[in-house]
């Protein structure tokens, strides 16, 4: 929304949230206190805030005055009841729709921005059409699907130069008009041929499909990484060799400890759930395997650490470099680091973590969430968590460690004085590069026992 405000100064954009602390943080004079860390974001907010970009807690006022309302609430995976662990929890979407129905007095375009299972628009429509503001002056609603394809860490760049913008809507005259209205907004900075217009169901399902295909590429190369380690092949060389085939292309072929982030796992599980719902078990199993392979990759990484450290990590100091799910973000959702830490903590390791952007509170919250799903460990979790030590200084974090595990590809890790780090570690000094960003040959010469993904 900040980018829309930046690119369209004549359009007033108001962002509302029920959480006053969050809105206060967005209004903070010090732009380093914005709630989300994203390169380039503070510059965009600095330009538009107070001009035509506003942050407020007056949800009802904004609904009443808005012509277009973007619903951008979260849709986490359900943790209870039918579809537990797979289906998207649409509770917040429903609450938004009900609030709009209760408050709106004029016609509006409602845009689904959150990633949603296909056919959610129908539910929103039903709620809006049966709202309290019925009667003679009942407002009319058009529902559009406009999924977001930005990736975190490169969000502003992705928004300024999107490969495409997707807008789905009803194919009725009113629906087509609403699609045009939203198209005109993006056309302020996106070439029209990159703005794709579809029916609403195609748009909803395209987002899940795009994420499933991207995640599938990572799971595919990660499956080959396991085979490389057995055969002497090098997964980075393979990625390069196949990526130069223009039909395959070079992107999303970086082997890793596993993908994380708020989208991939959630969206694929959602897709799997939809397929089961529509009685397509073979299709569901096909996509579910992408997730299973990702879980396997995380377990394989933890197991390799334990195996290498002579089958026990109990009482050993293992340092994690990175906790975020990728570089240039403070987001940790579904980060591989959480799962690897959890496995090693269960094996009684002492985990020391350094991440340039993630707080200790967040790390504990992430682990707590996992622990809550495992009754046996939820009972002893406080004891386990006392073995998680968070550092602000990476060198202190690695001092006297038995092993280092690199979990996030932060650029600064490549610039460290690895000789000094090696000198201060216990020997043999192990280094597990879960992102394949370090120079193995150079670091082996320094003295490290180094293991990368997909290299033997
Ligand atoms: C993703 C999609 O890219 C984006 O289009 C969608 O809107 C939201 O989900 P995001 O989760 O922000 O974006 O990050 P992305 O760059 O896609 O990375 C996802 C995960 O895959 C990260 O953990 C990343 O480190 C990992 N990854 C990515 C790999 O392990 N190897 C790769 O080659 C690429």
């Amino acid at each position: 929304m900040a980018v829309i405000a930046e690119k369209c100064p004549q359009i007033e954009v108001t962002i509302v949230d029920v959480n006053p602390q969050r809105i206060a943080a967005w209004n903070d004079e010090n732009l380093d206190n914005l709630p989300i860390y994203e390169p380039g974001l503070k510059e965009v907010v600095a330009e538009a805030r107070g001009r035509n970009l506003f942050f407020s807690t007056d949800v009802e006022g904004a609904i009443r005055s808005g012509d277009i309302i973007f619903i951008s609430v979260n849709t986490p995976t359900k943790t209870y009841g039918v579809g537990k662990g797979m289906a998207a929890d649409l509770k917040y979407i429903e609450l938004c729709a009900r609030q709009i129905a209760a408050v709106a007095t004029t016609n509006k375009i409602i845009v689904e921005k959150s990633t949603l299972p296909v056919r959610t628009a129908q539910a929103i429509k039903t709620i809006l059409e049966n709202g309290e503001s019925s009667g003679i002056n009942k407002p009319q609603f058009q529902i559009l699907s406009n999924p977001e394809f930005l990736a975190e860490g490169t969000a502003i760049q992705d928004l300024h130069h999107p490969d495409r913008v997707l807008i789905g809507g009803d194919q009725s005259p009113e629906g087509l008009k609403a699609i045009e209205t939203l198209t005109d907004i993006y056309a302020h900075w996106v070439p029209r041929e990159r703005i794709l217009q579809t029916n609403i169901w195609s748009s909803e399902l395209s987002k899940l499909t795009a994420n499933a295909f991207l995640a599938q590429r990572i799971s595919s190369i990660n499956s080959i990484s396991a085979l490389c380690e057995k055969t002497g092949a090098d997964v980075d060389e393979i990625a390069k060799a196949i990526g130069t085939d223009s039909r395959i292309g070079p992107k999303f072929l970086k082997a890793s400890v596993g993908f994380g982030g708020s989208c991939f796992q959630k969206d694929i599980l959602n897709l799997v759930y939809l397929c089961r719902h529509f009685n397509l078990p073979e299709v569901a199993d096909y996509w579910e395997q992408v997730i299973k392979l990702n879980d396997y990759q995380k377990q394989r990484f933890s197991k390799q650490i334990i195996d290498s450290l002579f089958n026990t990590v109990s009482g050993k100091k293992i340092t994690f470099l990175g906790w975020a799910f990728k570089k240039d973000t403070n987001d940790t959702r579904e980060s591989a680091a959480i799962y690897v830490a959890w496995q090693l903590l269960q094996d009684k390791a002492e985990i020391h973590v350094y991440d340039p952007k993630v707080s200790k509170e967040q790390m504990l919250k992430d682990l707590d969430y996992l622990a809550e799903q495992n009754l046996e460990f939820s009972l002893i979790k406080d004891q386990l968590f006392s073995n998680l030590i968070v550092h602000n200084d990476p060198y202190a974090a690695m001092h006297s460690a038995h092993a280092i595990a690199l979990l996030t590809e932060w650029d600064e890790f490549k610039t460290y004085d690895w000789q000094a780090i090696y000198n201060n570690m216990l020997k043999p000094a192990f280094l597990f590069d879960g992102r394949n960003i370090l120079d193995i040959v150079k670091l082996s010469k320094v003295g490290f026992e180094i293991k990368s993904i997909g290299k033997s």
Side-chain angles (χ1 to χ4, degrees), residues 273-322:
Y273 186 72
L274 278 169
C275 294
R276 295 240 152 86
H277 172 82
F278 289 110
N279 197 21
L280 302 168
E282 289 81 1
V283 186
D285 292 348
Y286 177 79
W287 288 107
E288 192 166 31
Q289 191 59 30
V290 172
I291 299 291
K292 287 190 183 155
L293 210 287
N294 197 48
D295 290 339
Y296 164 75
Q297 190 76 348
K298 292 180 276 191
Q299 276 160 19
R300 213 164 69 78
F301 188 76
S302 327
K303 187 166 178 299
Q304 193 177 52
I305 295 178
I306 298 170
D307 289 352
S308 303
L309 295 179
F310 317 107
N311 278 322
T312 175
V313 290
S314 171
K316 290 183 179 166
K317 173 170 176 176
I318 300 176
T319 305
F320 277 29
L321 289 180

Side-chain angles (χ1 to χ4, degrees), residues 296-448:
Y296 164 75
Q297 190 76 348
K298 292 180 276 191
Q299 276 160 19
R300 213 164 69 78
F301 188 76
S302 327
K303 187 166 178 299
Q304 193 177 52
I305 295 178
I306 298 170
D307 289 352
S308 303
L309 295 179
F310 317 107
N311 278 322
T312 175
V313 290
S314 171
K316 290 183 179 166
K317 173 170 176 176
I318 300 176
T319 305
F320 277 29
L321 289 180
W323 188 270
F325 84 98
K326 63 188 254 192
K327 71 174 180 178
D328 293 336
T329 177
N330 58 350
D331 194 343
T332 61
R333 284 174 288 177
E334 296 299 336
S335 178
I338 307 168
Y339 294 86
V340 176
W342 180 232
Q343 292 209 316
L344 297 177
L345 285 172
Q346 289 178 54
D347 267 72
K348 301 191 193 304
E350 201 180 275
I351 308 281
H352 291 246
V353 192
Y354 167 75
D355 185 288
K357 292 283 172 197
V358 181
S359 68
K360 174 164 188 179
E361 291 66 45
Q362 185 58 49
M363 295 176 195
L364 289 175
K365 225 159 101 184
D366 294 336
L367 286 170
D368 202 51
Y369 181 77
L370 266 194
E372 284 307 318
Q373 294 166 5
N374 182 326
L375 189 60
E376 189 191 334
F377 286 104
S378 69
L379 301 174
I380 53 160
K381 74 178 186 199
D382 290 339
Q383 185 198 331
L384 291 181
F385 290 0
S386 66
N387 284 329
L388 184 91
I389 298 111
V390 182
H391 296 258
N392 294 323
D393 171 12
Y395 290 89
M398 291 182 279
H399 198 279
S400 350
H402 289 81
I404 297 167
L406 190 154
L407 276 307
T408 311
E409 72 280 24
W410 287 101
D411 290 331
E412 65 171 69
F413 300 158
K414 293 188 242 175
T415 65
Y416 287 173
D417 179 351
W418 286 101
Q419 182 68 59
I421 292 166
Y422 174 79
N423 293 344
N424 286 324
M425 282 177 67
L426 296 181
K427 308 294 175 324
F430 289 94
L431 179 52
F432 301 91
D433 183 357
R435 294 289 180 168
N436 289 6
I437 60 166
L438 299 175
D439 185 335
I440 314 185
V441 178
K442 213 166 107 193
L443 290 179
S444 309
K445 282 197 192 128
V446 165
F448 282 104

